[in-house]
């Protein structure tokens, strides 16, 4: 395993154990055994050992040589006879952020259609009763998709999404995505195009469209297939537009959804582009993609025509 991979795994194990100790799930005097931790976190001994050494440097665990590591603090006695039964505590710390992400993203998206909002990290943690490391993972993900950014003062800000901003982002996509598609097309594997096409065909057979499936189809074309483009500057510029995909993950939200017939139109347009790619008619596929984006902007802007909640109404306490 590469050194960077080991370092990344050790940070995950360190963060997971640190949260368990600080939350009281692991209490003073409880023994931590390397072998058990490797099974618990599904990693090798090397990242576990590095994580324990870092926790010792943090003052959160104490090493007693061959007896292993113990949670530091005032304990009645060191429970050296048996390791802590970690299966009885929540160990999925690295994925805990996923359980609250959708709700946070949905709340922020609905709010920014009317105004700019600030996110209070402490109140976010308190609202969901999670650690600050979990909220940091949530905020990092939202930052990665372009939904939030940090102000000069260090406050997390979600910028007001105005119709003008949406049009500007779609103009950027209409300029760059067709070019990226033409550059990517010679490098695309036929199997990748076929799989993306099959997902659309399967969804069109169903009576209803779920958010996860529609989001996957959007990303198949606009992120994954375009990701084969060898011009990384184009791809980096397109990352700024990824905020436009976020509402597709919330199709049943009264504010963020779009009519089902418009979803059907989008699916058929995607299918046509993929069919052209599969026939290696790249120039036509790029032209069709540009036309698709021209229509998509109007579908997106339809959200502003709905009766949106009044400013500040119903916002969770971590937004202001």
């Amino acid at each position: 395993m590469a050194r960077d991979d080991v370092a990344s795994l050790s940070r995950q194990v360190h963060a997971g154990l640190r949260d368990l100790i600080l939350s009281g799930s692991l209490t003073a005097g409880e023994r931590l055994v390397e072998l058990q931790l490797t099974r618990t976190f599904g990693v090798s001994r090397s990242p576990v050992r590095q994580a324990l050494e870092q926790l010792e440097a943090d003052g959160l665990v104490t090493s007693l040589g061959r007896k292993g590591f113990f949670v530091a603090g005032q304990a009645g006695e060191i429970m050296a006879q048996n390791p802590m039964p970690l299966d009885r505590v929540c160990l999925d710390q690295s994925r805990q952020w996923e359980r609250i992400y959708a709700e946070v993203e949905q709340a922020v998206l609905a709010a920014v259609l009317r105004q700019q909002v600030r996110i209070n990290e402490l109140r976010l943690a308190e609202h969901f009763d999670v650690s600050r490391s979990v909220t940091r993972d949530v905020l990092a993900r939202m930052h990665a998709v372009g939904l939030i950014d940090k102000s000069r003062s260090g406050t997390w800000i979600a910028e007001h999404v105005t119709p003008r901003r949406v049009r500007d982002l779609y103009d950027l996509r209409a300029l760059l995505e067709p070019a990226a598609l033409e550059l990517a097309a010679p490098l695309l594997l036929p199997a990748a195009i076929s799989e993306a096409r099959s997902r659309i065909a399967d969804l069109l057979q169903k009576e209803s469209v779920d958010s996860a499936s529609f989001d996957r189809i959007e990303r198949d074309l606009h992120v994954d297939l375009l990701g084969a483009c060898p011009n990384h500057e184009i791809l980096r510029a397109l990352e700024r537009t990824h905020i436009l995909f976020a509402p597709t993950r919330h199709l049943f939200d009264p504010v963020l959804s779009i009519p089902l017939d418009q979803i059907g139109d989008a699916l058929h347009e995607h299918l046509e582009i993929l069919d052209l790619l599969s026939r290696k008619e790249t120039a036509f596929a790029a032209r069709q993609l540009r036309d698709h984006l021209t229509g998509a902007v109007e579908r997106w802007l339809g959200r502003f025509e709905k009766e949106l909640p009044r400013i500040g109404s119903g916002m969770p306490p971590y937004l202001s």
Side-chain angles (χ1 to χ4, degrees), residues 11-311:
R11 285 193 294 270
Q12 293 180 43
V13 176
H14 172 268
L17 289 173
R18 182 178 183 276
D19 284 349
L20 291 169
I21 293 170
L22 295 179
S23 68
S25 296
L26 292 176
T27 58
E30 292 177 336
R31 185 183 176 200
L32 302 175
V33 177
E34 280 187 19
L35 181 58
Q36 185 184 28
L37 292 173
T38 64
R39 294 169 179 167
T40 297
F41 288 95
V43 297
S44 65
R45 285 201 175 198
S46 181
V48 167
R49 190 174 301 116
Q50 289 182 22
L52 290 171
E53 289 171 355
Q54 183 58 53
L55 288 168
E56 184 179 23
D58 297 339
L60 294 175
V61 303
T62 301
S63 174
L64 293 182
R66 292 183 179 180
K67 291 183 178 179
F69 289 85
F70 298 83
V71 179
Q74 298 296 321
E77 60 177 340
I78 296 294
M79 294 176 279
Q81 67 277 16
N82 291 305
M84 172 65 184
L86 289 176
D87 56 342
R88 73 172 173 81
V89 295
C90 175
L91 294 170
D92 193 18
Q93 298 294 308
S94 64
R95 313 303 292 179
Q96 195 174 15
W97 66 272
E98 292 184 343
R99 289 191 280 274
I100 68 172
Y101 180 82
E103 184 175 342
V104 178
E105 182 186 67
Q106 187 172 358
V108 172
L109 281 169
V112 296
L113 293 183
R114 294 301 302 265
Q115 66 205 313
Q116 175 176 284
V117 295
R118 291 181 295 175
I119 304 172
N120 186 303
E121 188 177 338
L122 177 59
R123 289 184 180 177
L124 179 61
E126 291 173 345
H127 182 76
F128 289 99
D129 192 23
V130 296
S131 69
R132 294 288 287 276
S133 66
V134 173
T135 60
R136 281 192 289 271
D137 286 341
V138 170
L139 296 171
R141 169 64 178 169
M142 293 176 69
H143 180 251
V145 300
L147 185 53
I148 64 174
D149 207 348
K150 266 194 173 180
S151 67
R152 290 183 178 179
S153 64
T155 303
W156 285 108
I157 299 290
E159 185 181 343
H160 183 195
V161 177
T162 63
R164 173 61 184 270
R165 185 183 176 200
V166 171
R167 289 189 183 279
D168 287 348
L169 289 173
Y170 267 103
D171 284 347
L172 182 62
R173 291 181 67 186
L175 287 170
L176 296 183
E177 284 196 23
L181 186 65
E182 292 199 76
L183 291 170
L187 304 174
L188 292 175
L189 296 174
I193 299 173
S194 178
E195 289 174 8
R197 191 190 183 288
S198 295
R199 276 190 281 272
I200 298 175
D202 290 344
L203 192 56
L204 286 171
Q205 299 273 336
K206 297 180 179 179
E207 294 183 0
S208 61
V209 177
D210 62 278
S211 298
S213 296
F214 188 52
D215 182 53
R216 175 63 188 272
I217 285 168
E218 283 280 272
R219 299 186 70 83
D220 275 343
L221 173 60
H222 299 294
V223 178
D224 296 342
L225 294 182
L226 288 185
C229 172
N231 188 321
H232 296 291
E233 293 304 322
I234 290 179
L235 296 179
R236 189 172 293 115
L238 283 172
E239 287 177 359
R240 291 179 51 82
T241 71
H242 287 181
I243 184 177
L244 297 172
F245 302 134
T248 63
R249 296 189 283 273
H250 309 283
L251 291 181
F252 297 101
D253 181 272
V255 174
L256 303 175
S257 64
I258 58 177
L260 287 178
D261 61 324
Q262 293 186 8
I263 294 175
D265 292 342
L267 293 176
H268 285 290
E269 290 166 13
H270 274 232
L271 194 59
E272 185 173 355
I273 294 166
L274 294 174
D275 285 342
L276 289 169
L277 282 176
S278 66
R279 297 197 298 268
K280 300 191 181 302
E281 298 180 33
T282 304
F284 288 111
R287 189 181 309 162
Q288 188 64 31
L289 175 58
R290 187 177 293 108
D291 291 342
H292 166 69
L293 292 170
T294 301
V297 65
E298 298 304 327
R299 286 192 287 266
W300 214 108
L301 290 172
R303 296 178 173 95
F304 290 99
E305 298 172 2
K306 299 178 181 179
E307 185 177 349
L308 299 180
R310 295 190 325 177
I311 291 179

